[in-house]
Amino acid sequence: MNMPARPRAGAAILAVTTLSAFITPFLGSSVNVALPSIGRDLSLGAVALTWVNTSYMLASAMLLLPFGRMADLHGRRRFFILGTWLFTLFSVLAALAPNGTWLIAARVLQGAGSGMVFSTGAALLTSAYPPGERGKVLGLNVTGVYLGLTLGPVLGGFLVQAAGWRSILWLNLPLGLLILAMAHRHLPADGKGAPGRVDVPGSVLFSAALGCLVIGFSTVSGATGRFLVLLSALFFILFAVWERRVKDPMMDLRLLTANRAFLF
C-alpha cells in the first residue's frame, strides 16, 4: 500500500488525475456535437453515428472493473500511464479515420484506454492523501469530470465550426502528452500489489452482461434486442452468484449487503 504523499507531491498527483478526469468526458460530450459533421464527411447513417459514441462508452464501461482489479494487482501507476498512451494514440488514429469502420474501431480502443485511466485515477488520489483530506480532493477530481461534460459541447462546437470535427480528436494529442509528462514525473512508483489474482470468469460475465444490455437496448424494438436484454439479465445473475463464491472476486458484493453506508 502506498503511503500518503507529501503536500507538494499530492498536489501534483491531484493535477494529473483531475486533468485526465477532464479529458475523457470532454471528448465524449464534444464528439456528440460533431456527429452531424462526421456523418456528412464519412457518409454514415443514423445507426452508425450512434455507435461512434456508444462504442467508446461501452468499451470503457465493460473494462472499467477488470482494469481496476488488474491495476490493484500489478500497479496503478503502470495502468494509468498505459491507459493514457492508448487513449492518446487512438485519438490520433481516430482523427485520421478515412471511413466509419476505422473511426468506430479506434473509438473502441480509445474507450479501453479511458477505462484504464478512470479505474486508477481515484485510487491514486486516495493513496496520496490521508483520510481527512480525501473527500476534498475527490470532490475536486469529480469537478474535472463535470467541467469536461459541461465544456465539451461549447468548445467542441467552436472547434467543429472553426477547424472541423477532426480537430476535437487532435486536441487530445497535446493534452495526452502533457498528462503523460506529468504522470512520469509526479506519480509515485508502484509498491507491492494487492494479494490475489484476476477474476477472469467474473470479468467475462460482467462485460458480457453490460455489452448485451447496451446493444439490446439500442435495438430493443426487434426480437434480437429483447433477447439480448434478457440475456444480459441472466449474465448479471450469474455474475452475482459467481462473485459471492469466488475467493478473489472482481467486485466484493458483501460491500453492498453488509455495509449500509457504502450501499447508500
Side-chain angles (χ1 to χ4, degrees):
M1 181 180 295
N2 293 328
M3 297 296 293
R6 296 185 303 274
R8 186 173 180 181
I13 296 170
L14 176 62
V16 173
T17 55
T18 301
L19 184 56
S20 69
F22 167 85
I23 191 174
T24 44
F26 170 81
L27 178 64
S29 59
S30 59
V31 167
N32 274 330
V33 177
L35 289 179
S37 297
I38 294 172
R40 288 191 298 269
D41 189 27
L42 301 181
S43 301
L44 296 179
V47 174
L49 277 178
T50 62
W51 281 101
V52 171
N53 251 0
T54 301
S55 60
Y56 168 79
M57 292 185 290
L58 181 58
S60 181
M62 288 172 64
L63 296 171
L64 192 66
L65 287 180
F67 280 153
R69 178 59 176 160
M70 292 169 68
D72 286 342
L73 296 175
H74 304 296
R76 294 165 183 167
R77 181 183 188 272
R78 181 180 296 113
F79 269 72
F80 182 90
I81 291 174
L82 177 58
T84 305
W85 271 116
L86 289 176
F87 181 84
T88 305
L89 171 63
F90 289 107
S91 292
V92 172
L93 292 179
L96 297 172
N99 54 56
T101 302
W102 178 308
L103 177 61
I104 292 172
R107 293 283 283 162
V108 169
L109 295 168
Q110 220 182 9
S114 173
M116 283 187 177
V117 172
F118 255 92
S119 63
T120 52
L124 286 166
L125 269 182
T126 56
S127 65
Y129 282 87
E133 297 182 36
R134 287 173 186 167
K136 178 179 69 175
V137 297
L138 288 173
L140 291 171
N141 189 255
V142 172
T143 300
V145 175
Y146 283 100
L147 277 175
L149 290 171
T150 303
L151 294 178
V154 179
L155 295 181
F158 173 78
L159 288 170
V160 171
Q161 188 71 24
W165 64 268
R166 296 176 192 270
S167 63
I168 295 175
L169 296 161
W170 280 115
L171 180 62
N172 291 317
L173 178 59
L175 290 177
L177 292 177
L178 174 61
I179 293 171
L180 285 167
M182 295 171 67
H184 277 287
R185 181 170 182 177
H186 297 295
L187 292 186
D190 291 319
K192 185 178 180 181
R197 59 183 180 179
V198 178
D199 176 18
V200 176
S203 300
V204 172
L205 287 170
F206 174 79
S207 297
L210 200 57
C212 288
L213 184 67
V214 173
I215 297 172
F217 272 120
S218 69
T219 57
V220 75
S221 58
T224 301
R226 290 192 291 270
F227 171 76
L228 287 174
V229 172
L230 292 174
L231 189 60
S232 74
L234 175 61
F235 279 134
F236 275 122
I237 293 171
L238 291 174
F239 172 72
V241 172
W242 174 261
E243 293 300 286
R244 291 182 69 88
R245 294 184 177 182
V246 69
K247 180 181 178 181
D248 296 310
M250 183 179 68
M251 177 189 291
D252 189 351
L253 298 179
R254 289 172 297 182
L255 290 172
L256 303 177
T257 58
N259 189 327
R260 183 175 297 179
F262 183 82
L263 175 63
F264 278 111

